[in-house]
Amino acid sequence: MDATAREEAKAQLEFERRLEPGVWVSFLGEDGQRVPAKLSWKSPVSRKLLFVNANGLKVADRKMEEVLDELSRGEAVIMATPPG
């Protein structure tokens, strides 16, 4: 594994570690607008993640790998504070 691959793997592990229920993530919507969503549930078996809005309504369900890819491309961002 070269240095670049090690750095990418390290960054993905850091993102994965931070993705715990209660964390807010801002996703890039189809219309180009940011959509805030709270990680509500995380399956340790299927690695599926369920995201909800501030009202508790489902916004998205994605596999961990999909979210990690979005984070690495900047299409999703872990929010420092909840919206509102």
Side-chain angles (χ1 to χ4, degrees), residues 5-38:
R6 275 195 300 274
E7 286 301 314
E8 287 176 6
K10 189 176 175 181
Q12 280 203 330
L13 282 173
E14 179 59 29
F15 280 136
E16 190 168 343
R17 190 173 24 253
R18 292 177 62 195
L19 284 173
E20 291 296 327
V23 168
W24 283 85
V25 177
S26 175
F27 290 101
L28 189 59
E30 292 180 14
D31 61 359
Q33 297 294 312
R34 288 280 174 190
V35 179
K38 181 173 76 171

Side-chain angles (χ1 to χ4, degrees), residues 12-77:
Q12 280 203 330
L13 282 173
E14 179 59 29
F15 280 136
E16 190 168 343
R17 190 173 24 253
R18 292 177 62 195
L19 284 173
E20 291 296 327
V23 168
W24 283 85
V25 177
S26 175
F27 290 101
L28 189 59
E30 292 180 14
D31 61 359
Q33 297 294 312
R34 288 280 174 190
V35 179
K38 181 173 76 171
L39 178 56
S40 175
W41 178 77
K42 178 180 179 179
S43 171
V45 177
S46 67
R47 295 175 52 85
K48 283 279 249 189
L49 306 173
L50 175 67
F51 292 91
V52 298
N53 65 16
N55 296 322
L57 299 174
K58 178 180 167 182
V59 172
D61 62 342
R62 291 183 167 89
K63 291 193 175 212
M64 176 68 77
E65 291 75 16
E66 294 172 325
V67 175
L68 293 174
D69 284 345
E70 289 177 90
L71 287 166
S72 69
R73 292 191 307 264
E75 295 171 6
V77 178

